[in-house]
Amino acid sequence: MRLMTPLGAVVRGAVAGAVGTVAMDAFWYARYRAGGGEQRPLTWEFGGPSRWDSVSAPAQVGRRLYEGFTQRPLDERWARLTNNVMHWGYGVGWGSVLGVLAGSLPRRRLLEGPVFGASVWASSYVALPLAGRWHMQIDALITDFQ
């Protein structure tokens, strides 16, 4: 078996993370359509209102990261883009972790990727609500401090 370089492992993992993110989005889009949704896939994925009160917890975390680093508020017009950057970054980032782990093992197994992906997906149902609560608590502390 040929050894994989660290960079090769990260790149292969990132590609796997992008594929996994597309698969997850395809699942959610199919549910949306089955529920009567009519938007085309790209409009559903990247369109919609760009308001902070209409985006998910990942976007709120991205907003807090941006505002924490720059010490400036992030305009609401960036809400939808922030949501997508965080969503895709999460999937590709975890895929890169998988690539490093898989590249470090002496033997590759086909099921490692889907099992790892399912674990990341399931853990997001725990982490993201906590991130949303964390975001609200931080906002309350900032408001109280001001």
Side-chain angles (χ1 to χ4, degrees), residues 51-141:
R51 295 187 324 267
W52 290 118
D53 63 354
S54 68
V55 292
S56 64
Q60 301 295 343
V61 171
R63 175 186 179 192
R64 297 301 300 162
L65 289 170
Y66 174 87
E67 291 175 348
F69 281 115
T70 65
Q71 296 297 302
R72 295 185 338 220
L74 184 58
D75 191 86
E76 199 162 47
R77 68 184 166 145
W78 300 107
R80 187 72 182 170
L81 177 62
T82 303
N83 190 66
N84 282 302
V85 167
M86 294 300 290
H87 170 65
W88 283 89
Y90 189 80
V92 171
W94 275 112
S96 298
V97 170
L98 169 65
V100 170
L101 292 174
S104 302
L105 297 174
R107 227 173 109 228
R108 291 183 193 90
R109 294 171 194 84
L110 187 57
L111 285 178
E112 290 169 349
V115 168
F116 184 82
S119 300
V120 168
W121 192 356
S123 70
S124 72
Y125 282 97
V126 174
L128 293 177
L130 290 174
R133 279 195 284 266
W134 169 79
H135 160 73
M136 289 184 294
Q137 289 172 344
I138 295 296
D139 280 350
L141 286 171

